[in-house]
Amino acid sequence: MKGRDSISEGGLSELRREFRGERGDLIPVLQRVQEIQGYLRPEAIRIVSRWLKISENEIFGVATFYAQFRFHPPGLHHLRVCLGTACHVRGGEQILLTAQQRLGVDTGETTPDGKYDLDRVACLGCCALAPVVAFDQKVHSQMSVLKIQRILDEHKSA
Amino acid sequence: MNTRALDERRQKAASKWDELQNNRVPLIYIGAASCGLAAGAAEVQEVVENYLKKNGIEGRIIQVGCIGPCYLEPLMDVQMPGKPRISYSNVRPSDVPLIMESFFEKNEVAESRLAGHFGDAEFDGVPRFFDMPMLKPQVRIVLRNCGIIDPDDLDHCLARDGYLGLEKCLSMSWTEVLEIIKRSGLRGRGGAGFPTWKKWLTCRETPSDQRYLICNADEGDPGAFMNRSLIEGDPHAVLEGMLIAAYTIGASQGYIYIRAEYPLAIKRLKKAIVQMRGVGLLGQDILGSEFSFDIRIKEGAGAFVCGEETALIASIEGKRGMPRTRPPFPAVSGLHGKPTIINNVETLGTLPHILRNGAEWYAGSGTETSKGTKTFSLVGKVRRTGLIEVPLGMTLREVVFDIGGGTLKPFKAVQTGGPSGGCLSEEFLDTPIDYEHLAEAGSIMGSGGLIVVDSDTCIVDTAKYFLGFTQKESCGKCVPCRVGTRHMVKLLEKICDGRGELADLEKLEKLGRTIKNGSLCGLGATAPNPALTSLKYFRSEFISHIKDKRCPAIVCKSLVNYRVVAGKCTGCQRCVSVCPTGAITGPRSEPHNLDRSKCIKCRSCYEICRFDAIAGDAIIIES
Ligand SMILES: Cc1cc2nc3c(=O)[nH]c(=O)nc-3n(C[C@H](O)[C@H](O)[C@H](O)COP(=O)(O)O)c2cc1C
Ligand code: FES
């Protein structure tokens, strides 16, 4: 049964080296798990629970509190539309609406082919160049409904 | 490393900095903060690199932080040997060759996209960068290094007097340092404006074997980015501030709680912390003193309420970010039950300057009760958007009109304090920006978000937006906030949809008061502010929605319609091609038809009609 209750099971052994395994490490550990695996799988939660000696229920309670954590596999590409105040007053809502139409999904959903995720975000810190979207790691500024259409269409056909 | 060794390093850094100022090879500066990158700085840099390589030019590219006028991004500066640094704005990759050719082939100052030079003296008829209307009225204390130095180079920071404040601090007793901060009049920049020294004293006087210092870099106010810019542009200023604060309160462990949406700021901090360790600015016996301190970074996980200090502490402890009742205040019992000081990024970033230049110098700016300067993110419908720093007491009018250049459409309001603040109308433009005056007007200073809106912005929609935000972010622990904000959102939605009644306005006010008085933490206690101030100062706009079923700003979707103006439509079919629902139809060269039952009001047709200007404004939105 070697490794049964160890974090090495889920390909998460490197976490052992990064963290001391204290209670306060819970959120950073979950963040790293999500970074490695893309989302929080039930198995991963079980592993973290045994390692940090925190019940699975409690971990779910903590994880669901924070908007960052996902419990479903993410799409291949991630579009986040900013709806912070600056983006809102400069038409962020319409950008989101256009993205929904173009991708055929609602906010928080993944396209059926698993290629695109659509999310809203509270602020990306580029408010002076609103409205803003982040497509994967790249932030695009001064968006318009036409620009977002172009970005998505170009990406789809690439 | 002790103080002497650091001073030696500083001397070397100073000559390195001097060499940079009196450069022998051409220098190209790229504004590469998040805002610059979002505007396309990386693409600009690539073209510069290629140009230098192709032409065999020995030049250096230096990435700097944000210098403030984000609306001019991407910014690129060229400094030829023996010449001042000259800045170019809104540089597109396609502009780069022309600018380069001018300098390198014609030996002339390029004229297109010229913004200004950084020298002190007159230069070749080029205006000074800092004489621009947006920059001239500003006083840059906290931001003095932002956009000037390479934030990843510790030597740049040392050459510009970095960690001198700390050295001074270590040569004094904690009571002496506290006295200086007290005399400087510094108040917390995170929102509440509590005198920094008072909080510190409480913490220091609480007996304990361990005290903590937390830097609050959660910057949850959507629309505010001052803290991000400061960290990205001058991370060591904040870190030096942490050392000064920790020394004074007697903390040996520090945390930086920073939102995950700021990856570049996190990267800069991590790098800076490694540099500090390398020269003995962190760890045991800092600079040979008896003071030991270390810093850990904790990334936020996306919850606005975690900017509140007790929720933030819960989050660092690995729990749900729920606030708790105070007292006890964290200064007495905070992280792991130990005395803890939580300070905002800007509060900490100000400390080195106060230590270095003295309390009186700092108190020389500002008003009687609000000393010093404050950074603001000036955004929204204002012409010149960006990050600014002004002495407290400057009026809203000076900030919005002199610095921001006013609005494109007629000015309507300015929101200070984000979702906890208020929406102030034109009659408040002469209000001095300080803690007391803004509170008197029904708003708050907040952390520094200034959102300007014009006649194209609907006040009811904005109030609905803010309440929607706080309602979503309410942690749910106390009833007034959890349930009350939901009711307020429902009422505001009703009004925006044209189903409102006049009685709803009183209901909103009553609910607002109840939530303010009954909520557990600052989130609930301030959540109704945007709606209450809007109701007070813009009541007629609410009434238009209710009585006339009209949205005067033509924003609220249920109350607006899109229409093709037959006499103006040339039938160019551009709108047909962008309409996502096929609501617009019609053969080429004939006025098009818009089927309202299919129209989702996404604005695509309206934008393309303006954009191409063939038909011009053949599509209008009306209410
Ligand atoms: C809901 C809520 C959110 C807050 N968000 C922040 C924030 O993002 N950054 C911050 O510095 N302070 C925030 N504060 C204020 C902090 O609780 C605290 O007063 C501040 O960090 C103290 O630092 P200072 O004394 O240096 O201002 C928030 C308060 C509340 C009630
Ligand atoms: S409000 Fe959208 S980036 Fe800040």
Side-chain angles (χ1 to χ4, degrees):
Chain A
M1 297 299 276
K2 190 167 158 260
R4 195 74 179 78
D5 62 351
S6 120
I7 195 133
S8 60
E9 259 179 306
L12 298 172
S13 51
E14 55 196 278
L15 296 188
R16 281 257 189 236
R17 262 172 283 127
E18 280 175 50
F19 297 97
R20 279 181 263 183
E22 296 164 357
R23 160 85 225 204
D25 288 336
L26 175 60
I27 294 170
V29 163
L30 293 178
Q31 285 170 330
R32 278 291 285 144
V33 170
Q34 178 156 304
E35 202 181 321
I36 297 165
Q37 304 193 328
Y39 69 111
L40 301 180
R41 301 162 198 257
E43 304 91 83
I45 298 216
R46 201 170 316 132
I47 291 166
V48 172
S49 158
R50 285 195 209 137
W51 176 33
L52 299 183
K53 303 196 175 52
I54 304 172
S55 78
E56 283 177 50
N57 274 341
E58 196 178 344
I59 296 183
F60 268 111
V62 171
T64 50
F65 183 86
Y66 296 98
Q68 189 188 24
F69 295 114
R70 339 173 32 114
F71 303 93
H72 300 288
L76 214 52
H77 299 286
H78 196 177
L79 178 67
R80 288 175 295 160
V81 179
C82 180
L83 289 186
T85 317
C87 290
H88 175 83
V89 303
R90 282 195 169 251
E93 219 84 44
Q94 258 117 357
I95 309 290
L96 182 65
L97 195 66
T98 310
Q100 286 172 345
Q101 286 290 329
R102 253 341 195 227
L103 295 174
V105 292
D106 224 336
T107 314
E109 291 180 353
T110 307
T111 52
D113 61 3
K115 260 185 108 172
Y116 299 98
D117 275 343
L118 179 61
D119 269 315
R120 48 181 292 172
V121 51
C123 176
L124 291 163
C126 300
C127 328
L129 301 168
V132 169
V133 305
F135 192 44
D136 292 333
Q137 297 311 315
K138 168 110 181 102
V139 177
H140 298 264
S141 57
Q142 291 172 319
M143 294 302 295
S144 65
V145 289
L146 302 174
K147 260 169 129 176
I148 185 73
Q149 287 188 7
R150 203 166 55 232
I151 290 177
L152 289 174
D153 292 350
E154 276 171 14
H155 192 266
K156 276 184 186 166
S157 59
Chain B
M1 207 179 249
N2 56 25
T3 311
R4 171 126 44 83
L6 186 70
D7 283 340
E8 276 166 22
R9 165 96 188 235
R10 178 173 293 122
Q11 262 161 27
K12 281 198 197 118
S15 39
K16 183 171 148 188
W17 180 255
D18 272 349
E19 266 170 44
L20 206 60
Q21 306 313 303
N22 306 302
N23 52 325
R24 278 180 300 115
V25 300
L27 305 176
I28 317 283
Y29 293 84
I30 306 276
S34 293
C35 37
L37 291 170
E43 290 78 4
V44 168
Q45 179 168 341
E46 201 185 314
V47 184
V48 174
E49 278 166 6
N50 287 341
Y51 181 88
L52 295 180
K53 196 144 59 143
K54 202 178 91 203
N55 293 286
I57 297 168
E58 189 196 345
R60 238 187 94 193
I61 295 175
I62 300 174
Q63 290 197 342
V64 292
C66 171
I67 199 156
C70 303
Y71 77 107
L72 296 179
E73 297 282 8
L75 280 159
M76 175 185 91
D77 315 340
V78 182
Q79 186 180 341
M80 298 301 278
K83 302 271 162 63
R85 179 171 158 185
I86 299 177
S87 188
Y88 292 85
S89 57
N90 297 122
V91 178
R92 291 165 307 187
S94 59
D95 297 324
V96 175
L98 209 64
I99 298 175
M100 295 284 130
E101 276 159 28
S102 189
F103 278 103
F104 292 107
E105 291 166 34
K106 300 195 196 123
N107 207 5
E108 282 171 10
V109 173
E111 283 185 4
S112 76
R113 312 241 164 234
L114 180 64
H117 76 86
F118 283 73
D120 296 321
E122 287 284 312
F123 179 71
D124 221 2
V126 178
R128 284 189 73 233
F129 189 81
F130 285 102
D131 280 348
M132 279 200 281
M134 183 174 192
L135 287 156
K136 197 150 193 195
Q138 297 191 37
V139 175
R140 288 164 63 95
I141 293 176
V142 184
L143 301 179
R144 73 187 274 270
N145 279 337
C146 289
I148 305 292
I149 64 163
D150 175 355
D152 277 337
D153 194 334
L154 174 63
D155 284 335
H156 284 198
C157 150
L158 289 175
R160 304 224 341 141
D161 299 337
Y163 294 101
L164 269 184
L166 173 72
E167 285 185 28
K168 203 156 168 198
C169 166
L170 293 178
S171 72
M172 291 187 275
S173 69
W174 72 266
T175 43
E176 287 171 316
V177 181
L178 193 85
E179 186 55 31
I180 292 179
I181 301 307
K182 182 176 175 179
R183 283 208 320 270
S184 77
L186 180 65
R187 297 170 67 172
R189 298 297 190 231
F194 196 78
T196 303
W197 71 273
K198 245 189 204 167
K199 206 155 97 169
W200 286 8
L201 184 61
T202 309
C203 177
R204 182 81 201 211
E205 284 183 334
T206 306
S208 180
D209 54 342
Q210 171 92 11
R211 294 185 191 83
Y212 295 106
L213 173 75
I214 301 173
C215 167
N216 190 346
D218 196 41
E219 194 149 70
D221 173 1
F225 58 94
M226 307 77 49
N227 293 172
R228 166 189 74 67
S229 280
L230 178 58
I231 293 173
E232 284 180 1
D234 193 9
H236 283 290
V238 180
L239 293 163
E240 182 182 354
M242 284 186 77
L243 287 171
I244 295 168
Y247 176 80
T248 317
I249 64 169
S252 57
Q253 179 64 50
Y255 290 89
I256 302 175
Y257 190 86
I258 181 163
R259 65 200 311 245
E261 287 86 350
Y262 288 174
L264 184 61
I266 295 172
K267 204 172 106 192
R268 291 264 152 86
L269 281 174
K270 285 186 174 159
K271 188 153 184 184
I273 287 174
V274 172
Q275 291 167 345
M276 288 171 81
R277 277 194 223 295
V279 294
L281 283 165
L282 273 185
Q284 292 294 317
D285 304 335
I286 290 170
L287 296 185
S289 71
E290 283 168 15
F291 167 56
S292 301
F293 185 64
D294 218 323
I295 295 176
R296 287 171 76 181
I297 294 179
K298 289 270 182 179
E299 286 179 36
F304 172 66
V305 71
C306 286
E308 194 279 336
E309 41 189 27
T310 59
L312 190 155
I313 288 171
S315 182
I316 292 187
E317 289 171 347
K319 301 178 192 152
R320 290 164 73 94
M322 298 273 213
R324 61 160 174 79
T325 39
R326 299 176 305 178
F329 286 93
V332 174
S333 171
L335 186 62
H336 307 304
K338 306 285 183 188
T340 303
I341 284 297
I342 294 158
N343 272 136
N344 171 259
V345 170
E346 188 181 338
T347 313
L348 294 166
T350 306
L351 299 172
H353 309 298
I354 297 178
L355 262 285
R356 219 176 44 238
N357 298 311
E360 284 64 33
W361 166 84
Y362 187 74
S365 323
T367 66
E368 192 54 42
T369 53
S370 306
K371 301 286 186 206
T373 58
K374 172 87 195 75
T375 60
F376 291 97
S377 58
L378 183 59
V379 297
K381 299 288 188 62
V382 70
R383 274 176 223 259
R384 300 193 279 261
T385 54
L387 174 70
I388 62 166
E389 180 173 359
V390 295
L392 287 166
M394 191 179 259
T395 64
L396 284 167
R397 188 186 302 280
E398 287 170 289
V399 168
V400 174
F401 288 88
D402 298 349
I403 294 179
T407 47
L408 274 177
K409 296 276 179 76
F411 171 90
K412 186 182 267 183
V414 52
Q415 168 91 16
T416 71
S420 313
C423 206
L424 301 177
S425 57
E426 199 164 359
E427 64 200 272
F428 291 98
L429 276 175
D430 292 311
T431 307
I433 305 178
D434 63 33
Y435 296 95
E436 284 71 25
H437 281 96
L438 286 176
E440 232 167 75
S443 185
I444 60 165
M445 171 86 86
S447 59
L450 274 183
I451 288 144
V452 181
V453 301
D454 62 11
S455 59
D456 272 353
T457 307
C458 171
I459 290 293
V460 190
D461 173 75
T462 311
K464 182 183 80 173
Y465 166 81
F466 279 121
L467 257 298
F469 177 83
T470 34
Q471 187 258 321
K472 254 202 286 344
E473 294 294 339
S474 166
C475 76
K477 189 166 170 178
C478 71
V479 179
C481 175
R482 183 182 68 230
V483 181
T485 54
R486 203 184 312 139
H487 278 301
M488 282 187 83
V489 173
K490 284 252 157 69
L491 286 168
L492 288 163
E493 277 172 359
K494 205 174 135 195
I495 298 171
C496 286
D497 284 350
R499 296 177 287 112
E501 300 155 43
L502 281 177
D504 292 338
L505 301 184
E506 277 94 68
K507 277 191 207 159
L508 277 171
E509 282 163 337
K510 208 164 145 226
L511 262 169
R513 281 194 300 270
T514 314
I515 299 170
K516 275 183 85 138
N517 296 331
S519 291
L520 182 64
C521 85
L523 189 147
T526 56
N529 285 353
L532 292 179
T533 46
S534 311
L535 268 168
K536 198 157 149 200
Y537 304 132
F538 297 95
R539 208 176 187 83
S540 66
E541 219 171 307
F542 283 78
I543 292 174
S544 290
H545 284 71
I546 294 171
K547 278 183 126 170
D548 314 332
K549 310 292 172 209
R550 254 193 85 238
C551 173
I554 319 190
V555 168
C556 291
K557 265 193 178 172
S558 308
L559 302 180
V560 304
N561 274 310
Y562 286 60
R563 185 161 68 85
V564 178
V565 184
K568 286 195 173 164
C569 179
T570 59
C572 72
Q573 294 216 309
R574 290 255 150 80
C575 54
V576 178
S577 68
V578 295
C579 177
T581 58
I584 309 182
T585 51
R588 181 169 283 281
S589 308
E590 274 176 43
H592 297 331
N593 255 325
L594 196 156
D595 181 351
R596 282 194 184 162
S597 66
K598 285 190 186 161
C599 176
I600 56 163
K601 301 172 186 174
C602 74
R603 214 178 161 96
S604 304
C605 55
Y606 177 79
E607 273 187 21
I608 195 124
C609 190
R610 306 250 144 157
F611 179 72
D612 272 326
I614 297 173
D617 40 8
I619 293 178
I620 57 171
I621 313 176
E622 55 195 6
S623 176

